[in-house]
Amino acid sequence: MKIGIIGGSGLYSVEAFNYIGEEKIETDYGESSAAFKIYEYSDNRYYFLARHGINHEFPPHLVNYRANIAAFKRAGVDAILSFAAVGGINEDLNPGDIVISDNAIDFTSGRNHTFATMGNIHHIDITEPFCPELRKAVKESCASSGLNFSDKDVYICTNGPRMETAAEIKAFKKLGADIVGMTLFPECSLAREAEICYVNISVVANYAASISRNKLTADEVVETVKRSEDKLKRIILNIDTNAVENRKCDCRNALENTRISKNK
Ligand SMILES: [Zn+2]
């Protein structure tokens, strides 16, 4: 099967696999952040995409999320493991911790956030933003890799690229958020619109504003993710791809019964 991997800040390749080559895929929405790096491992193909570009040139609000997801769709990928570096709001979380997000809040604005167009209207159900079966497979992979993880957490997505104020973090905490990042939306909702299974795997890179006693720096984000790179690669390596291939979730029929028509 074809599995998509989106690498966030600090994760730019998956050297453990057999590297096949690069492929640039044209989409109706422009160019993806980078060409796919394609890997092979145990009869499966892995399409790796560096979300921010290979030189980290795209800030979170300028990533062409539609082109990225459309490119996966065109490549025939129907399951995406999406990695991200986040700030920890919940004090139980520490830098280096792995979070398999349970739900999410969208605080972004001004991004091209949907494939819906005039006359092509669909209201997807995103009650559960992440594929339950991919989440299960990732959790089992963490367990078999001997990795600790947290799976009850809510990811709140801000517009960035600035970090958050102390008051914002206090407010986000009251809203029920455990981690804060800048790239989950519209990536996860576009994947659902494209009927692709999607799971978020976050690495806590730092304590969020006011949770941290120190000034937040971009370097600590990249350094923490770099230190966690081996763990992330083990998660990818140990995923039970047979279970993923035989999943029975509804993601692949996400557009069924989502259209409102005056003829109904
Ligand atoms: Zn699914």
Side-chain angles (χ1 to χ4, degrees):
M1 70 176 298
K2 292 177 176 177
I3 297 178
I5 300 167
I6 302 179
S9 308
L11 182 66
Y12 298 104
S13 63
V14 197
E15 300 92 357
F17 298 150
N18 184 23
Y19 181 62
I20 301 293
E22 280 195 354
E23 190 175 345
K24 185 92 189 160
I25 293 177
E26 294 295 319
T27 83
D28 296 338
Y29 304 91
E31 290 193 354
S32 53
S33 300
F36 285 119
K37 284 183 181 173
I38 303 174
Y39 299 87
E40 227 167 37
Y41 180 69
S42 174
D43 292 340
N44 295 303
R45 283 215 157 185
Y46 294 81
Y47 285 69
F48 180 90
L49 178 68
R51 180 189 290 117
H52 297 284
I54 44 169
N55 298 311
H56 204 98
E57 59 267 44
F58 295 100
H61 65 296
L62 295 180
V63 169
N64 190 341
Y65 297 96
R66 291 196 303 181
N68 288 353
I69 297 298
F72 277 117
K73 186 77 180 172
R74 196 160 274 188
V77 166
D78 61 8
I80 295 176
L81 313 175
S82 176
F83 293 85
V86 297
I89 297 176
N90 184 328
E91 277 112 349
D92 292 338
L93 296 171
N94 295 300
D97 283 359
I98 290 168
V99 174
I100 302 155
S101 305
D102 178 49
N103 217 298
I105 303 172
D106 183 5
F107 258 60
T108 63
S109 61
R111 302 182 179 190
N112 285 323
H113 66 285
T114 179
F115 292 123
T117 53
M118 284 293 287
N120 177 28
I121 310 156
H122 48 78
H123 302 279
I124 49 159
D125 181 336
I126 196 150
T127 311
E128 300 294 337
F130 308 116
C131 170
E133 303 228 12
L134 268 191
R135 286 190 82 235
K136 186 165 171 268
V138 170
K139 285 196 269 183
E140 284 173 0
S141 175
C142 285
S144 64
S145 306
L147 299 172
N148 291 325
F149 60 93
S150 178
D151 66 344
K152 306 273 189 292
D153 307 274
V154 172
Y155 180 135
I156 195 163
C157 188
T158 63
N159 230 24
R162 67 167 177 82
M163 300 291 198
E164 302 72 37
T165 68
E168 284 170 339
I169 293 300
K170 202 172 164 187
F172 292 164
K173 197 173 179 183
K174 284 188 178 167
L175 289 175
D178 299 286
I179 52 176
V180 58
M182 301 173 188
T183 55
L184 185 68
F185 286 99
E187 194 176 271
C188 71
S189 47
L190 286 167
R192 182 65 55 84
E193 285 188 357
E195 302 184 314
I196 298 174
C197 295
Y198 178 101
V199 65
N200 165 261
I201 303 149
S202 285
V203 180
V204 178
N206 53 9
Y207 297 108
S210 78
I211 309 289
S212 167
R213 289 178 191 84
N214 305 319
K215 185 173 179 251
L216 304 178
T217 69
D219 282 350
E220 73 177 319
V221 172
V222 175
E223 280 164 21
T224 310
V225 179
K226 274 276 162 216
R227 277 201 299 275
S228 307
E229 204 177 345
D230 178 56
K231 291 190 214 170
L232 303 183
K233 287 175 180 170
R234 270 153 65 199
I235 295 173
I236 299 168
L237 210 62
N238 291 328
I239 281 223
D240 180 352
T241 50
N242 285 332
V244 173
E245 194 155 18
N246 295 317
R247 65 200 186 280
K248 303 269 189 293
C249 52
D250 291 329
C251 311
R252 281 174 285 185
N253 304 309
L255 292 182
E256 269 180 20
N257 303 317
T258 60
R259 293 176 207 281
I260 295 174
S261 161
K262 69 172 187 174
N263 298 323
K264 276 190 181 170

